[in-house]
Amino acid sequence: MQTRSLGQQGLKVSSIGLGTMGMTMAYGPSNEDEAIATIRRAYELGVNFFDTAELYGYGNGHNEQLLGKAVKDFRDKVVLATKFGFDMTAEQIGTRFNSRPENIRKVAENSLRYLQTDYIDVFYQHIPDPDVPIEEVAGVVGDLIKEGKVKYFGLSNTGSNTIRKAHAVTPVSMLQTEYSIFEREIEDNNIRKTLNELGIGLVPYAPLGRGFLTDAVKPAQEYAEDDMRRYDERWQGENYIYNLRATEQLNELASNKGISVAELALAWLLAQGEDIVPIPGTRSAKRVEQNVAAANVKLTEVDLQRIKEILPHGSAGSRYPAGMMENFTRDS
């Protein structure tokens, strides 16, 4: 597995990471033993960058505990990233924010305990808090870094102004946001330019279009009631038809190269810059093997042009409902 640098603070990780959110939420029922086996298989294949968050455990630390249990025998050889920023006491988890200094410290202590570690490699603000200046957030994380409890500071789901303000207080190593063949929003605003200017890495989540860019896509109504894809705009009506046709064309291109469409999608991301490290999520060890294989796929200029022809602007349909999108695109 090749490595890549994220930011200018010395962090190096495997060129493909693993997101663990789907192991405990958003994609229907899961199996802890299978999840742990998948994490360990990823490590065997050279993946050393694992992503979790307080939110993914619905406030009880389940996702972080699962990850901590899975990597405890090789903790010092992996990079663990987790996130703060939501009010986990809200009646509906994920609808209110809390990046007050005392809560950031509380989340850090909880995460250290759940992950069975004495330091967090990457501590992200999960989403901007409109009631707490980003400079104050960056200052608290900076203090945690000085105390040795955190190594690197990351931001997620935010814009250029917020990135610049945070970076001026505590160097930001990476931004995590949705980016894929399907989702091109950061190409249409100044975010990519800002990251390049400041030397900040990019960690795309949902790099496989939440599963659309795989061979397992199906109509929305066929997913479980607690699967977010059942309500995702990209799986609805004409959007679904458009996206399915595009995926079929991508599948044809991938097949001609002897790879899967998932490998094609990840290789496309890796080709967008040496500072990009996607974190595809999966519960399956077999899928991990397929995703890791993408690190060795080389796309030609002809391949990249064909992908652009198939999806010149990304998929049809918003990645989040309108109300949620306002939160995920907030920029102070």
Side-chain angles (χ1 to χ4, degrees), residues 71-225:
V71 305
K72 65 180 180 180
D73 292 336
F74 43 87
R75 165 63 186 105
D76 61 335
K77 295 182 173 62
V78 296
V79 174
L80 301 182
T82 191
K83 312 178 193 73
F84 63 87
F86 282 99
D87 180 353
M88 304 307 294
T89 68
E91 184 175 343
Q92 186 176 350
I93 299 297
T95 59
R96 294 203 319 235
F97 317 110
N98 188 348
S99 281
R100 294 190 301 273
E102 62 273 18
N103 192 58
I104 295 174
R105 285 190 167 275
K106 176 183 175 183
V107 175
E109 294 300 329
N110 286 340
S111 295
L112 288 167
R113 185 171 70 257
Y114 294 148
L115 291 167
Q116 301 183 49
T117 185
D118 55 4
Y119 64 93
I120 298 165
D121 292 286
V122 182
F123 206 30
Y124 290 100
Q125 183 188 42
H126 205 153
I127 193 167
D129 186 335
D131 297 324
V132 182
I134 189 59
E135 295 90 341
E136 190 171 351
V137 173
V140 175
V141 178
D143 288 341
L144 290 169
I145 291 173
K146 292 174 185 175
E147 294 164 17
K149 295 180 179 180
V150 170
K151 287 192 171 184
Y152 303 97
F153 178 33
L155 294 175
S156 180
N157 301 305
T158 193
S160 293
N161 292 333
T162 302
I163 295 167
R164 290 183 183 279
K165 290 178 181 179
H167 191 69
V169 177
T170 299
V172 177
S173 294
M174 69 213 72
L175 172 74
Q176 184 177 140
T177 192
E178 187 165 353
Y179 183 42
S180 68
I181 291 177
F182 259 29
E183 177 50 54
R184 312 280 188 79
E185 182 183 18
I186 68 167
E187 295 179 350
D188 299 328
N189 52 35
N190 291 322
I191 292 178
R192 193 75 181 101
K193 179 180 178 182
T194 299
L195 298 181
N196 289 338
E197 178 186 333
L198 299 178
I200 296 172
L202 176 60
V203 177
Y205 68 78
L208 301 179
R210 300 201 182 278
F212 217 117
L213 296 166
T214 68
D215 57 6
V217 66
K218 54 189 178 183
Q221 63 271 19
E222 294 185 19
Y223 291 97
E225 282 290 340

Side-chain angles (χ1 to χ4, degrees), residues 31-86:
N31 180 286
E32 182 171 307
D33 290 338
E34 179 186 27
I36 290 174
T38 297
I39 292 168
R40 290 176 176 168
R41 179 58 179 151
Y43 175 71
E44 290 172 357
L45 294 169
V47 174
N48 74 347
F49 187 34
F50 297 92
D51 183 87
T52 182
E54 175 191 39
L55 179 70
Y56 304 160
Y58 294 107
N60 62 14
H62 184 200
N63 197 275
E64 289 174 308
Q65 291 180 58
L66 184 153
L67 178 57
K69 180 179 180 180
V71 305
K72 65 180 180 180
D73 292 336
F74 43 87
R75 165 63 186 105
D76 61 335
K77 295 182 173 62
V78 296
V79 174
L80 301 182
T82 191
K83 312 178 193 73
F84 63 87
F86 282 99

